[in-house]
Amino acid sequence: MEDHYQIRPAKIGDLSEVAAIEQTVFSDPWSPGMLRRAFEDQLALVAVDEDGAVVGYLLASAIGDEGEILNLAVHPAYRRRGLGARLTTEGLDLLRFRGVRQVFLEVRESNAGARRLYQSLEFEPVARRRWYYRNPREDALILTRALRTLPRVSAG
């Protein structure tokens, strides 16, 4: 049986499920308050299963023509199903629609799975941030990807 998931904009009602995934997945998770601010001020997408349960999410921001993927997580029980790639691809499409031309993100140097995902989505390393992560202390690799601009549609 094939799994079916919907990617949709996050709602405040999704916050508790997102916070639970955040606590499960990350060793230094964002607080519920930080997640709430991201929901209110940034681009936030969730992946939901057929029962409507949140199984993954993406948080991103756009300022001018630059964007940043702030956070991406998929519940461990739902990994290896393409959800991280789908969330990222849809997030990139929304950023492109908002006029973003270049997207950045940080990833733990030791997070081989995430690094493979981002490489498959054409992100490239451009820098390193020493001791960026706490718990455990570790460097972050800064990755970037250029986004092609959308063609302009004439009104007539």
Side-chain angles (χ1 to χ4, degrees), residues 3 5 11 26 71 75 89 114 128-129 134 142 148:
D3 294 324
Y5 301 95
K11 301 179 278 193
F26 294 110
N71 219 339
H75 190 283
T89 299
R128 171 187 307 271
R129 287 199 172 130
R134 308 171 301 176
I142 300 172
R148 289 186 296 277

Side-chain angles (χ1 to χ4, degrees), residues 22 40 74 108 116 135 139 149:
E22 179 81 10
E40 293 169 347
V74 174
R108 278 186 185 273
R116 278 192 303 276
N135 193 26
D139 291 358
T149 58

Side-chain angles (χ1 to χ4, degrees), residues 2-64:
E2 185 178 316
D3 294 324
H4 296 283
Y5 301 95
Q6 177 190 9
I7 308 294
R8 63 164 171 76
K11 301 179 278 193
I12 290 297
D14 300 322
L15 188 59
S16 64
E17 290 177 279
V18 167
I21 294 170
E22 179 81 10
Q23 292 290 322
T24 300
V25 171
F26 294 110
S27 61
D28 194 14
W30 287 18
S31 70
M34 292 170 69
L35 291 168
R36 177 180 284 280
R37 281 188 296 283
F39 270 39
E40 293 169 347
D41 300 335
Q42 310 297 337
L43 181 142
L45 298 174
V46 292
V48 295
D49 68 10
E50 291 174 330
D51 298 323
V54 174
V55 297
Y57 62 93
L58 176 128
L59 304 172
S61 67
I63 298 175

Side-chain angles (χ1 to χ4, degrees), residues 136-150:
R137 201 157 173 88
E138 185 174 356
D139 291 358
L141 298 178
I142 300 172
L143 307 181
T144 189
R145 177 185 164 170
L147 298 179
R148 289 186 296 277
T149 58
L150 293 172

